[in-house]
Amino acid sequence: NAGVTQTPKFRILKIGQSMTLQCTQDMNHNYMYWYRQDPGMGLKLIYYSVGAGITDKGEVPNGYNVSRSTTEDFPLRLELAAPSQTSVYFCASSYRQGGEQFFGPGTRLTVL
Amino acid sequence: ILNVEQSPQSLHVQEGDSTNFTCSFPSSNFYALHWYRWETAKSPEALFVMTLNGDEKKKGRISATLNTKEGYSYLYIKGSQPEDSATYLCAFRNQFYFGTGTSLTVIP
C-alpha cells in the first residue's frame, strides 16, 4: 500500500514552460486535494476533487488546471509557468469530506 | 478567505518541559478542526480531528481541546522529547484553510 505518491520530486522550469505534476493514491479515496506551500505561509488549497469527473477551485487556483478521470489519479497542470509558482506542491487524499488527509511527499518546483 | 491563526510562530523548549500552543479560527459555521504534525523533510501527518465543542483528544503525550464558541483549539505536549520537534498545523473548514503552523524545537 503506497498511499499517496507524487512525481517528480524536484523540477526546474523556465518561465512560460508547462508541466504536469502527477499524484496517485491507492487507498480508493474519493477526495483529493492539491496544496502549495510557500516559505512562512501555511498550505494553500489550489484545487480539490470529490470524485472522478468532479473538480473545484480552492483558494488559489489561478495559473493551474486539474482533471480527475480516475479515482486514483489527480494531476495538476501548469500551462505557462511563472516565478510566482515557485513553491512546494503537496497532493493529499481523504476517504470522506472533512476526514483525515493523507499527504504525498511533495514536489519542489522552481520557475526561473 | 478565512483566517486561521496559530501562535506562537515558533517555540524552543527544554526536553522534559510541557508546552502548548493555540489555533484560532472563525467561530461561525464550524464543521471540524484538524491538527497535523509536520516533521522536516516529511509530509504532514494527522494527529486529531475535532468536531464538538468541548472535545478533548489524546494521543500519548499529546492532547488537544476545542472551543467552537470562542473559536480556538489548544494543543498540549506533556514532557516534550526531541522527537516532538516538528511544525504543528491546524486546519479549518474541511481543511480548505490551514494555519501557518507552530514550529516546535525541543532541546535535549
Side-chain angles (χ1 to χ4, degrees):
Chain A
N1 203 345
V4 180
T5 57
Q6 291 182 237
T7 57
K9 284 189 168 52
F10 305 94
R11 184 73 186 268
I12 298 175
L13 284 182
K14 293 182 179 177
I15 294 172
Q17 284 186 318
S18 61
M19 78 163 292
T20 299
L21 282 66
Q22 301 291 346
C23 175
T24 300
Q25 53 91 11
D26 62 0
M27 296 174 282
N28 203 30
H29 286 170
N30 282 323
Y31 296 84
M32 295 188 75
Y33 314 81
W34 273 107
Y35 296 91
R36 58 178 286 171
Q37 195 245 341
D38 301 315
M41 306 288 287
L43 293 166
K44 298 287 187 186
L45 183 68
I46 305 171
Y47 270 95
Y48 67 101
S49 169
V50 301
I54 307 169
T55 63
D56 211 343
K57 296 177 181 179
E59 191 180 353
V60 290
N62 291 344
Y64 306 95
N65 278 301
V66 292
S67 59
R68 185 94 183 271
S69 55
T70 66
T71 299
E72 293 78 21
D73 300 306
F74 190 39
L76 178 73
R77 178 100 179 140
L78 283 71
E79 290 293 351
L80 290 170
S84 61
Q85 293 178 305
T86 294
S87 189
V88 182
Y89 292 84
F90 287 93
C91 178
S93 72
S94 66
Y95 176 69
R96 58 179 178 84
Q97 189 176 29
E100 171 188 353
Q101 288 191 4
F102 295 84
F103 284 80
T107 294
R108 184 175 294 276
L109 175 67
T110 302
V111 182
L112 300 174
Chain B
I1 296 176
L2 297 177
N3 278 331
V4 180
E5 296 182 358
Q6 292 188 247
S7 62
Q9 193 171 14
S10 66
L11 199 52
H12 290 73
V13 301
Q14 291 291 138
E15 182 176 353
D17 286 352
S18 294
T19 186
N20 66 85
F21 22 94
T22 307
C23 172
S24 301
F25 51 86
S27 55
S28 59
N29 296 322
F30 180 84
Y31 182 78
L33 192 283
H34 296 246
W35 280 101
Y36 285 85
R37 169 192 160 87
W38 194 355
E39 290 182 71
T40 302
K42 294 188 177 180
S43 305
E45 291 184 349
L47 283 173
F48 305 115
V49 179
M50 310 184 78
T51 55
L52 296 175
N53 185 44
D55 255 357
E56 288 189 35
K57 297 275 177 96
K58 189 174 180 182
K59 187 181 286 189
R61 292 178 292 97
I62 303 177
S63 60
T65 60
L66 178 67
N67 184 324
T68 61
K69 294 185 179 187
E70 295 182 38
Y72 65 84
S73 175
Y74 292 140
L75 190 79
Y76 299 90
I77 302 179
K78 185 177 178 182
S80 303
Q81 299 297 309
E83 57 266 29
D84 296 329
S85 297
T87 295
Y88 292 83
L89 295 173
C90 65
F92 179 71
R93 191 65 61 79
N94 291 333
Q95 299 166 93
F96 283 16
Y97 301 100
F98 276 79
T100 53
T102 292
S103 173
L104 174 68
T105 303
V106 181
I107 303 162

